């Protein structure tokens, strides 16, 4: 499962990522407006890494993006909406979960994406955006939307496993996916453990085994 930063990078090659808190920021436009948006969102990510949340200001973003400050104020208004637009933009990509032919391998591939986003030493955009969610209500809401979208897209991994007969019956896809990915966030973000390349596979194998044992039966309607 890719991270907000990875999704933003990929969307830059294909189409914008995941933003929107107002009708204005959600609007799809092309030409100069799209170029300005791309420049501004890129500047947000760069400044977040360089100066942290406290150093992220509308004026600094405008200067780094090479656009007039009134353009940024008019379209985004404040830092919270800028961060929300970066995150919302990351949802608008074409990412889809892998299809390896087995539940454990699919979960391992998802975990590998998370691992690569979190395991690097030093600051990175993924952890900076997650941290910003604790400082900005708009960023927190956008981050929740991002994960909701990602888990919804990944539900097909569990559906395919059930269709292949790997599971004893329908399963709660969200509960299974959270169980598979949670160890990576716990170890790498909360405990700040040393990166362990075996972690993505180990976490995937444990959750897949639990799923095969019926631990994630579909919740009652």
């Amino acid at each position: 499962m890719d991270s907000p930063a990875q999704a933003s990078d990929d969307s830059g090659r294909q189409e914008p990522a995941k933003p929107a808190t107002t009708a204005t920021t959600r609007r799809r436009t092309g030409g100069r407006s799209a170029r300005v948006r791309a420049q501004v969102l890129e500047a947000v990510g760069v400044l977040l890494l360089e100066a942290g949340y406290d150093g992220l200001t509308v004026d600094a973003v405008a200067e780094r993006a090479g656009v007039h400050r009134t353009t940024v104020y008019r379209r985004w208004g404040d830092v919270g909406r800028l961060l929300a637009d970066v995150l919302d933009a990351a949802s608008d990509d074409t990412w889809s979960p892998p299809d390896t032919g087995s539940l454990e391998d699919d979960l391992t591939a998802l975990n590998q994406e998370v691992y690569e986003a979190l395991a690097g030493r030093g600051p990175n955009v993924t952890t900076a955006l997650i941290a910003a969610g604790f400082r900005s209500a708009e960023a927190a809401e956008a981050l929740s939307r991002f994960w909701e979208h990602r888990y919804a897209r990944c539900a097909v991994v569990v559906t395919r496993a059930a269709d292949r007969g790997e599971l004893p019956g329908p399963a709660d896809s969200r509960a299974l996916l959270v169980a598979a990915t949670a160890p990576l966030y716990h170890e790498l973000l909360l405990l700040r453990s040393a990166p362990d390349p075996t972690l993505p596979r180990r976490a995937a194998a444990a959750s897949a085994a639990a799923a095969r044992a019926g631990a994630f039966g579909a919740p009652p309607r």
Side-chain angles (χ1 to χ4, degrees):
M1 184 185 301
D2 63 344
S3 70
Q6 289 171 314
S8 296
D9 289 344
D10 292 342
S11 67
R13 300 185 200 104
Q14 299 167 4
E15 58 184 73
K18 246 188 195 178
T21 52
T22 67
T24 302
T25 56
R26 248 323 184 190
R27 186 175 54 209
R28 290 285 191 274
T29 53
R32 180 179 179 280
S33 180
R35 288 194 300 274
V36 167
R37 182 178 183 234
Q39 291 170 221
V40 167
L41 298 189
E42 180 179 1
V44 172
V46 171
L47 286 170
L48 193 59
L49 283 179
E50 290 182 355
Y53 179 85
D54 290 326
L56 189 66
T57 66
V58 171
D59 285 359
V61 168
E63 182 178 357
R64 177 58 65 95
V67 302
H68 200 282
R69 62 194 296 270
T70 58
T71 299
V72 181
Y73 276 109
R74 183 170 59 248
R75 182 164 181 174
W76 287 276
D78 56 31
V79 166
R81 290 193 179 94
L82 282 166
L83 289 166
D85 201 18
V86 170
L87 288 159
D88 283 332
S91 300
D92 294 341
D93 63 359
T94 57
W95 180 88
S96 60
D99 184 0
T100 66
S102 81
L103 175 62
E104 182 175 326
D105 287 345
D106 282 355
L107 294 175
T108 299
L110 292 174
N111 279 355
Q112 189 63 39
E113 294 187 17
V114 175
Y115 179 83
E116 290 172 3
L118 300 179
R121 288 305 184 187
N124 65 69
V125 175
T126 297
T127 55
L129 286 169
I130 292 172
F134 291 94
R135 304 287 300 278
S136 162
E138 292 96 337
E141 291 174 6
L143 194 59
S144 293
R145 287 195 297 272
F146 177 86
W147 296 126
E148 288 292 344
H149 291 168
R150 278 302 187 258
Y151 281 119
R153 287 194 197 184
C154 291
V156 66
V157 167
V158 180
T159 302
R160 288 191 304 239
D163 291 343
R164 288 191 297 261
E166 291 188 70
L167 305 179
D172 184 336
S173 62
R174 181 183 173 119
L176 198 167
L177 291 163
V178 169
T181 57
L184 282 83
Y185 291 99
H186 191 86
E187 291 286 348
L188 298 173
L189 276 185
L190 300 182
L191 297 179
R192 302 190 67 80
S193 302
D196 176 0
T198 70
L199 180 58
R201 170 67 69 178
R202 288 191 292 106
S207 56
R212 289 192 293 271
F216 301 103
R221 295 182 179 277

